[in-house]
Amino acid sequence: MAARSRAPAGRTPRGMKLRKALAVLFAAGALLGLWAAGWQLSRPVNHPVPMPAGLGFEPMLAGGTHGSLLRAPGSTRCALLMHGIRGDRSAMAGRAAFLRDAGWSALAIDLQAHGETPGEMITFGHREADDARNGVAYLRAQGCATVAVIGQSLGGAASLLGKGPVAADGFVLESVYPAIEDAVANRLAMRFGGLGRLAAPLLYWQLPLRTGVGREQLRPVQQIRKVQVPVLVAGGTRDGQTPPEETRQLFDAAGGAKTLWLVEGAIHQDLYAFSPEEYRRRLLRFLDTLGAAPG
């Protein structure tokens, strides 16, 4: 009597159903994980923000935007300082101090959904752009004849997005992503390699669902073309989140007088903290081209 052959366990109808069920469960788990990651990226990070004592910061509130102003007495040159994602205005206190010493009044603000400025979620520069406009309007109302915007990562994007670039006399854009697709893909690739890049669309496709903001509204590289005042574009040579080639892309798209500074050895970090002496020297040299000192 001939022996019967048996199909491998995984190829039986029951085995194939099990494999399909496991594949569905795996896909569902991955989607849920990416949805949770999207929430983690966009969730608000509100908290009290104490500013360093003894420097003379004054509280500021304009249009719902909270900030701290450090005045340079008698000066009409002013800088608006905006922090990076999940930061707050206290991160800009050091910049404000050396700017005040150089004759620039400095206003550091909390972007919406950060620090003390309320917000339902982080929108990667779209709603945060309203805070940038509030800050510039406040400085103009204080008698500032020259206003420079200094934005770190999210803060730089906020100065360009929303209704378009703010009405400033100069822009300092530090580690700013050119397009949201690049920002998401780079961050996932740093964590998960090539698979992260493949999964990136599942994160940035969540944007309209979470925030009502589409990818086309989160492309600083398009908005910077409208800027016709001097721009300083800076980024680290070892930045994996905004690589040097993307910093160059943003610089190349700027329409007015422009300066590029690739900070040797810096990653996606506070460029002032990384190289304080060179940062002060380059920043003040750039700012001095925007308006004459009082007197």
Side-chain angles (χ1 to χ4, degrees), residues 110-157:
D110 290 333
L111 299 171
Q112 71 92 35
H114 292 77
E116 295 177 348
T117 300
E120 296 177 357
M121 64 189 67
I122 299 168
T123 62
F124 311 101
H126 183 73
R127 295 181 191 169
E128 293 80 3
D130 291 337
D131 301 297
R133 270 185 288 279
N134 289 341
V136 170
Y138 179 87
L139 290 174
R140 295 293 189 195
Q142 294 291 306
C144 297
T146 301
V147 173
V149 168
I150 302 171
Q152 179 186 25
S153 192
L154 174 65

mmCIF file of all heavy atoms in Angstrom, residues 110-157:
data_model
loop_
_atom_site.group_PDB
_atom_site.id
_atom_site.type_symbol
_atom_site.label_atom_id
_atom_site.label_comp_id
_atom_site.label_asym_id
_atom_site.label_seq_id
_atom_site.Cartn_x
_atom_site.Cartn_y
_atom_site.Cartn_z
ATOM 1 N N ASP A 110 7.169 81.529 23.024
ATOM 2 C CA ASP A 110 6.771 80.116 22.960
ATOM 3 C C ASP A 110 5.848 79.944 21.762
ATOM 4 O O ASP A 110 4.842 80.647 21.639
ATOM 5 C CB ASP A 110 6.006 79.714 24.231
ATOM 6 C CG ASP A 110 6.885 79.656 25.457
ATOM 7 O OD1 ASP A 110 8.098 79.424 25.310
ATOM 8 O OD2 ASP A 110 6.356 79.846 26.572
ATOM 9 N N LEU A 111 6.180 79.023 20.887
ATOM 10 C CA LEU A 111 5.296 78.705 19.766
ATOM 11 C C LEU A 111 4.071 77.956 20.280
ATOM 12 O O LEU A 111 4.106 77.338 21.350
ATOM 13 C CB LEU A 111 6.049 77.869 18.731
ATOM 14 C CG LEU A 111 7.261 78.568 18.118
ATOM 15 C CD1 LEU A 111 8.055 77.582 17.267
ATOM 16 C CD2 LEU A 111 6.858 79.780 17.303
ATOM 17 N N GLN A 112 2.983 77.989 19.515
ATOM 18 C CA GLN A 112 1.738 77.361 19.972
ATOM 19 C C GLN A 112 1.961 75.888 20.272
ATOM 20 O O GLN A 112 2.738 75.210 19.620
ATOM 21 C CB GLN A 112 0.634 77.578 18.935
ATOM 22 C CG GLN A 112 0.774 76.805 17.639
ATOM 23 C CD GLN A 112 0.043 75.474 17.692
ATOM 24 O OE1 GLN A 112 -1.016 75.335 18.304
ATOM 25 N NE2 GLN A 112 0.614 74.480 17.024
ATOM 26 N N ALA A 113 1.272 75.420 21.316
ATOM 27 C CA ALA A 113 1.381 74.041 21.821
ATOM 28 C C ALA A 113 2.728 73.770 22.483
ATOM 29 O O ALA A 113 3.083 72.617 22.732
ATOM 30 C CB ALA A 113 1.111 73.016 20.722
ATOM 31 N N HIS A 114 3.486 74.826 22.774
ATOM 32 C CA HIS A 114 4.768 74.716 23.457
ATOM 33 C C HIS A 114 4.785 75.686 24.634
ATOM 34 O O HIS A 114 4.206 76.775 24.567
ATOM 35 C CB HIS A 114 5.925 75.084 22.535
ATOM 36 C CG HIS A 114 6.175 74.123 21.413
ATOM 37 N ND1 HIS A 114 5.389 74.098 20.283
ATOM 38 C CD2 HIS A 114 7.124 73.171 21.244
ATOM 39 C CE1 HIS A 114 5.855 73.170 19.459
ATOM 40 N NE2 HIS A 114 6.902 72.591 20.017
ATOM 41 N N GLY A 115 5.493 75.323 25.683
ATOM 42 C CA GLY A 115 5.662 76.233 26.802
ATOM 43 C C GLY A 115 4.345 76.768 27.304
ATOM 44 O O GLY A 115 3.430 76.007 27.619
ATOM 45 N N GLU A 116 4.196 78.086 27.362
ATOM 46 C CA GLU A 116 3.002 78.710 27.925
ATOM 47 C C GLU A 116 2.006 79.173 26.863
ATOM 48 O O GLU A 116 0.951 79.701 27.212
ATOM 49 C CB GLU A 116 3.421 79.879 28.825
ATOM 50 C CG GLU A 116 4.213 79.417 30.044
ATOM 51 C CD GLU A 116 4.692 80.561 30.914
ATOM 52 O OE1 GLU A 116 4.618 81.728 30.464
ATOM 53 O OE2 GLU A 116 5.148 80.304 32.046
ATOM 54 N N THR A 117 2.328 78.996 25.588
ATOM 55 C CA THR A 117 1.384 79.362 24.531
ATOM 56 C C THR A 117 0.486 78.171 24.232
ATOM 57 O O THR A 117 0.978 77.110 23.844
ATOM 58 C CB THR A 117 2.122 79.792 23.249
ATOM 59 O OG1 THR A 117 2.943 80.926 23.547
ATOM 60 C CG2 THR A 117 1.126 80.174 22.158
ATOM 61 N N PRO A 118 -0.836 78.306 24.440
ATOM 62 C CA PRO A 118 -1.725 77.150 24.269
ATOM 63 C C PRO A 118 -1.822 76.689 22.819
ATOM 64 O O PRO A 118 -1.540 77.444 21.886
ATOM 65 C CB PRO A 118 -3.082 77.676 24.766
ATOM 66 C CG PRO A 118 -2.999 79.160 24.618
ATOM 67 C CD PRO A 118 -1.562 79.524 24.836
ATOM 68 N N GLY A 119 -2.231 75.445 22.658
ATOM 69 C CA GLY A 119 -2.428 74.868 21.332
ATOM 70 C C GLY A 119 -2.821 73.415 21.450
ATOM 71 O O GLY A 119 -2.401 72.727 22.385
ATOM 72 N N GLU A 120 -3.641 72.955 20.512
ATOM 73 C CA GLU A 120 -4.131 71.579 20.567
ATOM 74 C C GLU A 120 -3.074 70.574 20.140
ATOM 75 O O GLU A 120 -3.042 69.447 20.629
ATOM 76 C CB GLU A 120 -5.361 71.427 19.673
ATOM 77 C CG GLU A 120 -6.554 72.249 20.130
ATOM 78 C CD GLU A 120 -7.723 72.117 19.184
ATOM 79 O OE1 GLU A 120 -7.582 71.430 18.135
ATOM 80 O OE2 GLU A 120 -8.787 72.677 19.487
ATOM 81 N N MET A 121 -2.213 70.971 19.203
ATOM 82 C CA MET A 121 -1.185 70.069 18.706
ATOM 83 C C MET A 121 -0.125 70.851 17.955
ATOM 84 O O MET A 121 -0.366 71.980 17.505
ATOM 85 C CB MET A 121 -1.782 68.996 17.796
ATOM 86 C CG MET A 121 -2.397 69.545 16.518
ATOM 87 S SD MET A 121 -3.309 68.285 15.599
ATOM 88 C CE MET A 121 -4.679 67.983 16.738
ATOM 89 N N ILE A 122 1.048 70.273 17.825
ATOM 90 C CA ILE A 122 2.126 70.850 17.032
ATOM 91 C C ILE A 122 1.796 70.642 15.552
ATOM 92 O O ILE A 122 1.399 69.545 15.152
ATOM 93 C CB ILE A 122 3.460 70.181 17.391
ATOM 94 C CG1 ILE A 122 3.790 70.412 18.879
ATOM 95 C CG2 ILE A 122 4.587 70.685 16.509
ATOM 96 C CD1 ILE A 122 4.924 69.551 19.399
ATOM 97 N N THR A 123 1.966 71.681 14.753
ATOM 98 C CA THR A 123 1.623 71.574 13.324
ATOM 99 C C THR A 123 2.838 71.829 12.435
ATOM 100 O O THR A 123 2.694 72.144 11.263
ATOM 101 C CB THR A 123 0.487 72.543 12.954
ATOM 102 O OG1 THR A 123 0.913 73.895 13.197
ATOM 103 C CG2 THR A 123 -0.765 72.255 13.767
ATOM 104 N N PHE A 124 4.044 71.722 12.983
ATOM 105 C CA PHE A 124 5.287 71.733 12.213
ATOM 106 C C PHE A 124 5.504 73.020 11.424
ATOM 107 O O PHE A 124 6.111 73.010 10.361
ATOM 108 C CB PHE A 124 5.355 70.485 11.313
ATOM 109 C CG PHE A 124 5.057 69.222 12.063
ATOM 110 C CD1 PHE A 124 3.813 68.611 11.979
ATOM 111 C CD2 PHE A 124 5.999 68.691 12.931
ATOM 112 C CE1 PHE A 124 3.523 67.476 12.715
ATOM 113 C CE2 PHE A 124 5.720 67.550 13.675
ATOM 114 C CZ PHE A 124 4.482 66.942 13.572
ATOM 115 N N GLY A 125 4.994 74.113 11.966
ATOM 116 C CA GLY A 125 5.247 75.422 11.398
ATOM 117 C C GLY A 125 4.022 76.140 10.883
ATOM 118 O O GLY A 125 4.051 77.355 10.690
ATOM 119 N N HIS A 126 2.915 75.437 10.671
ATOM 120 C CA HIS A 126 1.734 76.058 10.048
ATOM 121 C C HIS A 126 1.017 76.996 11.022
ATOM 122 O O HIS A 126 0.928 78.209 10.778
ATOM 123 C CB HIS A 126 0.780 74.986 9.540
ATOM 124 C CG HIS A 126 -0.420 75.552 8.838
ATOM 125 N ND1 HIS A 126 -0.329 76.109 7.591
ATOM 126 C CD2 HIS A 126 -1.723 75.664 9.209
ATOM 127 C CE1 HIS A 126 -1.528 76.539 7.215
ATOM 128 N NE2 HIS A 126 -2.386 76.279 8.183
ATOM 129 N N ARG A 127 0.504 76.467 12.116
ATOM 130 C CA ARG A 127 -0.155 77.334 13.099
ATOM 131 C C ARG A 127 0.864 78.136 13.885
ATOM 132 O O ARG A 127 0.583 79.259 14.330
ATOM 133 C CB ARG A 127 -1.003 76.497 14.064
ATOM 134 C CG ARG A 127 -2.180 75.788 13.399
ATOM 135 C CD ARG A 127 -2.981 74.994 14.399
ATOM 136 N NE ARG A 127 -3.935 74.112 13.747
ATOM 137 C CZ ARG A 127 -4.608 73.154 14.361
ATOM 138 N NH1 ARG A 127 -4.443 72.962 15.667
ATOM 139 N NH2 ARG A 127 -5.452 72.383 13.688
ATOM 140 N N GLU A 128 2.057 77.594 14.034
ATOM 141 C CA GLU A 128 3.117 78.313 14.736
ATOM 142 C C GLU A 128 3.477 79.616 14.018
ATOM 143 O O GLU A 128 4.008 80.555 14.630
ATOM 144 C CB GLU A 128 4.350 77.412 14.865
ATOM 145 C CG GLU A 128 4.171 76.211 15.770
ATOM 146 C CD GLU A 128 3.435 75.028 15.123
ATOM 147 O OE1 GLU A 128 3.098 75.128 13.908
ATOM 148 O OE2 GLU A 128 3.202 74.023 15.801
ATOM 149 N N ALA A 129 3.194 79.672 12.722
ATOM 150 C CA ALA A 129 3.460 80.897 11.959
ATOM 151 C C ALA A 129 2.673 82.083 12.514
ATOM 152 O O ALA A 129 3.123 83.239 12.409
ATOM 153 C CB ALA A 129 3.115 80.675 10.488
ATOM 154 N N ASP A 130 1.507 81.836 13.104
ATOM 155 C CA ASP A 130 0.742 82.928 13.710
ATOM 156 C C ASP A 130 1.505 83.546 14.883
ATOM 157 O O ASP A 130 1.438 84.759 15.109
ATOM 158 C CB ASP A 130 -0.624 82.431 14.190
ATOM 159 C CG ASP A 130 -1.550 82.072 13.040
ATOM 160 O OD1 ASP A 130 -1.339 82.599 11.925
ATOM 161 O OD2 ASP A 130 -2.477 81.269 13.251
ATOM 162 N N ASP A 131 2.222 82.728 15.626
ATOM 163 C CA ASP A 131 3.024 83.256 16.736
ATOM 164 C C ASP A 131 4.173 84.105 16.212
ATOM 165 O O ASP A 131 4.503 85.142 16.802
ATOM 166 C CB ASP A 131 3.562 82.101 17.587
ATOM 167 C CG ASP A 131 2.445 81.251 18.167
ATOM 168 O OD1 ASP A 131 1.656 81.796 18.955
ATOM 169 O OD2 ASP A 131 2.361 80.064 17.831
ATOM 170 N N ALA A 132 4.775 83.668 15.107
ATOM 171 C CA ALA A 132 5.841 84.470 14.503
ATOM 172 C C ALA A 132 5.310 85.838 14.090
ATOM 173 O O ALA A 132 5.947 86.875 14.333
ATOM 174 C CB ALA A 132 6.431 83.737 13.307
ATOM 175 N N ARG A 133 4.129 85.866 13.489
ATOM 176 C CA ARG A 133 3.540 87.143 13.080
ATOM 177 C C ARG A 133 3.182 87.998 14.299
ATOM 178 O O ARG A 133 3.369 89.216 14.295
ATOM 179 C CB ARG A 133 2.301 86.886 12.210
ATOM 180 C CG ARG A 133 2.632 86.784 10.733
ATOM 181 C CD ARG A 133 1.382 86.644 9.899
ATOM 182 N NE ARG A 133 0.782 85.321 10.070
ATOM 183 C CZ ARG A 133 1.204 84.241 9.435
ATOM 184 N NH1 ARG A 133 2.214 84.325 8.588
ATOM 185 N NH2 ARG A 133 0.633 83.077 9.625
ATOM 186 N N ASN A 134 2.664 87.354 15.346
ATOM 187 C CA ASN A 134 2.356 88.098 16.576
ATOM 188 C C ASN A 134 3.616 88.738 17.154
ATOM 189 O O ASN A 134 3.591 89.879 17.625
ATOM 190 C CB ASN A 134 1.724 87.175 17.618
ATOM 191 C CG ASN A 134 0.315 86.743 17.257
ATOM 192 O OD1 ASN A 134 -0.349 87.374 16.431
ATOM 193 N ND2 ASN A 134 -0.151 85.661 17.855
ATOM 194 N N GLY A 135 4.715 87.996 17.122
ATOM 195 C CA GLY A 135 5.966 88.513 17.665
ATOM 196 C C GLY A 135 6.494 89.700 16.879
ATOM 197 O O GLY A 135 6.926 90.704 17.454
ATOM 198 N N VAL A 136 6.460 89.595 15.549
ATOM 199 C CA VAL A 136 6.935 90.702 14.717
ATOM 200 C C VAL A 136 6.051 91.927 14.918
ATOM 201 O O VAL A 136 6.550 93.061 15.064
ATOM 202 C CB VAL A 136 6.968 90.288 13.234
ATOM 203 C CG1 VAL A 136 7.220 91.498 12.337
ATOM 204 C CG2 VAL A 136 8.048 89.237 12.995
ATOM 205 N N ALA A 137 4.726 91.729 14.942
ATOM 206 C CA ALA A 137 3.807 92.857 15.132
ATOM 207 C C ALA A 137 4.048 93.535 16.476
ATOM 208 O O ALA A 137 4.010 94.773 16.581
ATOM 209 C CB ALA A 137 2.361 92.373 15.021
ATOM 210 N N TYR A 138 4.292 92.749 17.511
ATOM 211 C CA TYR A 138 4.557 93.311 18.839
ATOM 212 C C TYR A 138 5.818 94.175 18.811
ATOM 213 O O TYR A 138 5.836 95.293 19.348
ATOM 214 C CB TYR A 138 4.702 92.183 19.854
ATOM 215 C CG TYR A 138 5.005 92.660 21.261
ATOM 216 C CD1 TYR A 138 3.986 93.000 22.128
ATOM 217 C CD2 TYR A 138 6.319 92.753 21.703
ATOM 218 C CE1 TYR A 138 4.267 93.454 23.422
ATOM 219 C CE2 TYR A 138 6.621 93.192 22.986
ATOM 220 C CZ TYR A 138 5.582 93.539 23.837
ATOM 221 O OH TYR A 138 5.867 93.987 25.113
ATOM 222 N N LEU A 139 6.876 93.676 18.182
ATOM 223 C CA LEU A 139 8.116 94.441 18.128
ATOM 224 C C LEU A 139 7.948 95.733 17.340
ATOM 225 O O LEU A 139 8.471 96.787 17.728
ATOM 226 C CB LEU A 139 9.233 93.581 17.536
ATOM 227 C CG LEU A 139 9.727 92.434 18.430
ATOM 228 C CD1 LEU A 139 10.721 91.559 17.683
ATOM 229 C CD2 LEU A 139 10.351 92.968 19.721
ATOM 230 N N ARG A 140 7.223 95.667 16.239
ATOM 231 C CA ARG A 140 6.971 96.895 15.473
ATOM 232 C C ARG A 140 6.211 97.906 16.340
ATOM 233 O O ARG A 140 6.509 99.104 16.316
ATOM 234 C CB ARG A 140 6.173 96.572 14.217
ATOM 235 C CG ARG A 140 6.877 95.687 13.193
ATOM 236 C CD ARG A 140 8.064 96.345 12.553
ATOM 237 N NE ARG A 140 8.567 95.543 11.437
ATOM 238 C CZ ARG A 140 9.749 95.709 10.867
ATOM 239 N NH1 ARG A 140 10.580 96.655 11.307
ATOM 240 N NH2 ARG A 140 10.129 94.953 9.852
ATOM 241 N N ALA A 141 5.242 97.425 17.116
ATOM 242 C CA ALA A 141 4.467 98.329 17.973
ATOM 243 C C ALA A 141 5.320 98.915 19.085
ATOM 244 O O ALA A 141 4.984 99.979 19.640
ATOM 245 C CB ALA A 141 3.275 97.578 18.567
ATOM 246 N N GLN A 142 6.436 98.253 19.412
ATOM 247 C CA GLN A 142 7.356 98.760 20.434
ATOM 248 C C GLN A 142 8.328 99.785 19.864
ATOM 249 O O GLN A 142 9.189 100.296 20.573
ATOM 250 C CB GLN A 142 8.146 97.598 21.046
ATOM 251 C CG GLN A 142 7.301 96.619 21.840
ATOM 252 C CD GLN A 142 6.768 97.225 23.127
ATOM 253 O OE1 GLN A 142 7.519 97.741 23.938
ATOM 254 N NE2 GLN A 142 5.453 97.176 23.302
ATOM 255 N N GLY A 143 8.202 100.071 18.572
ATOM 256 C CA GLY A 143 9.075 101.057 17.939
ATOM 257 C C GLY A 143 10.308 100.485 17.286
ATOM 258 O O GLY A 143 11.262 101.238 16.993
ATOM 259 N N CYS A 144 10.313 99.191 17.022
ATOM 260 C CA CYS A 144 11.474 98.563 16.387
ATOM 261 C C CYS A 144 11.503 98.896 14.894
ATOM 262 O O CYS A 144 10.607 98.494 14.145
ATOM 263 C CB CYS A 144 11.434 97.052 16.586
ATOM 264 S SG CYS A 144 11.522 96.560 18.324
ATOM 265 N N ALA A 145 12.533 99.605 14.456
ATOM 266 C CA ALA A 145 12.669 99.950 13.042
ATOM 267 C C ALA A 145 13.253 98.801 12.237
ATOM 268 O O ALA A 145 12.959 98.643 11.052
ATOM 269 C CB ALA A 145 13.553 101.192 12.898
ATOM 270 N N THR A 146 14.097 98.013 12.883
ATOM 271 C CA THR A 146 14.695 96.841 12.244
ATOM 272 C C THR A 146 14.325 95.608 13.059
ATOM 273 O O THR A 146 14.549 95.580 14.274
ATOM 274 C CB THR A 146 16.232 96.966 12.182
ATOM 275 O OG1 THR A 146 16.584 98.146 11.446
ATOM 276 C CG2 THR A 146 16.851 95.741 11.517
ATOM 277 N N VAL A 147 13.750 94.610 12.383
ATOM 278 C CA VAL A 147 13.369 93.370 13.056
ATOM 279 C C VAL A 147 14.017 92.189 12.332
ATOM 280 O O VAL A 147 13.815 92.001 11.132
ATOM 281 C CB VAL A 147 11.841 93.175 13.088
ATOM 282 C CG1 VAL A 147 11.482 91.794 13.653
ATOM 283 C CG2 VAL A 147 11.182 94.270 13.919
ATOM 284 N N ALA A 148 14.799 91.439 13.062
ATOM 285 C CA ALA A 148 15.392 90.206 12.544
ATOM 286 C C ALA A 148 14.711 89.019 13.204
ATOM 287 O O ALA A 148 14.415 89.051 14.400
ATOM 288 C CB ALA A 148 16.886 90.163 12.835
ATOM 289 N N VAL A 149 14.461 87.986 12.427
ATOM 290 C CA VAL A 149 13.884 86.749 12.947
ATOM 291 C C VAL A 149 14.978 85.702 13.031
ATOM 292 O O VAL A 149 15.704 85.473 12.057
ATOM 293 C CB VAL A 149 12.744 86.247 12.036
ATOM 294 C CG1 VAL A 149 12.337 84.830 12.409
ATOM 295 C CG2 VAL A 149 11.547 87.179 12.126
ATOM 296 N N ILE A 150 15.117 85.080 14.189
ATOM 297 C CA ILE A 150 16.101 84.022 14.397
ATOM 298 C C ILE A 150 15.335 82.780 14.826
ATOM 299 O O ILE A 150 14.771 82.736 15.924
ATOM 300 C CB ILE A 150 17.139 84.425 15.455
ATOM 301 C CG1 ILE A 150 17.852 85.716 15.024
ATOM 302 C CG2 ILE A 150 18.146 83.296 15.677
ATOM 303 C CD1 ILE A 150 18.746 86.307 16.096
ATOM 304 N N GLY A 151 15.261 81.795 13.960
ATOM 305 C CA GLY A 151 14.446 80.615 14.217
ATOM 306 C C GLY A 151 15.241 79.335 14.145
ATOM 307 O O GLY A 151 15.943 79.072 13.171
ATOM 308 N N GLN A 152 15.119 78.540 15.187
ATOM 309 C CA GLN A 152 15.816 77.258 15.271
ATOM 310 C C GLN A 152 14.857 76.144 14.864
ATOM 311 O O GLN A 152 13.817 75.944 15.497
ATOM 312 C CB GLN A 152 16.305 77.039 16.709
ATOM 313 C CG GLN A 152 17.021 75.724 16.941
ATOM 314 C CD GLN A 152 17.343 75.512 18.418
ATOM 315 O OE1 GLN A 152 16.676 76.059 19.286
ATOM 316 N NE2 GLN A 152 18.360 74.728 18.685
ATOM 317 N N SER A 153 15.141 75.430 13.778
ATOM 318 C CA SER A 153 14.369 74.276 13.333
ATOM 319 C C SER A 153 12.894 74.650 13.143
ATOM 320 O O SER A 153 12.552 75.393 12.223
ATOM 321 C CB SER A 153 14.556 73.123 14.330
ATOM 322 O OG SER A 153 14.061 71.914 13.823
ATOM 323 N N LEU A 154 11.995 74.200 14.018
ATOM 324 C CA LEU A 154 10.584 74.550 13.926
ATOM 325 C C LEU A 154 10.378 76.056 13.914
ATOM 326 O O LEU A 154 9.531 76.582 13.176
ATOM 327 C CB LEU A 154 9.811 73.934 15.090
ATOM 328 C CG LEU A 154 8.337 74.327 15.231
ATOM 329 C CD1 LEU A 154 7.527 73.820 14.051
ATOM 330 C CD2 LEU A 154 7.759 73.814 16.543
ATOM 331 N N GLY A 155 11.146 76.784 14.714
ATOM 332 C CA GLY A 155 11.016 78.231 14.768
ATOM 333 C C GLY A 155 11.333 78.887 13.439
ATOM 334 O O GLY A 155 10.668 79.848 13.025
ATOM 335 N N GLY A 156 12.342 78.379 12.746
ATOM 336 C CA GLY A 156 12.659 78.915 11.428
ATOM 337 C C GLY A 156 11.560 78.620 10.427
ATOM 338 O O GLY A 156 11.194 79.484 9.617
ATOM 339 N N ALA A 157 11.024 77.396 10.471
ATOM 340 C CA ALA A 157 9.915 77.045 9.572
ATOM 341 C C ALA A 157 8.713 77.941 9.831
ATOM 342 O O ALA A 157 8.028 78.382 8.897
ATOM 343 C CB ALA A 157 9.547 75.573 9.748
#
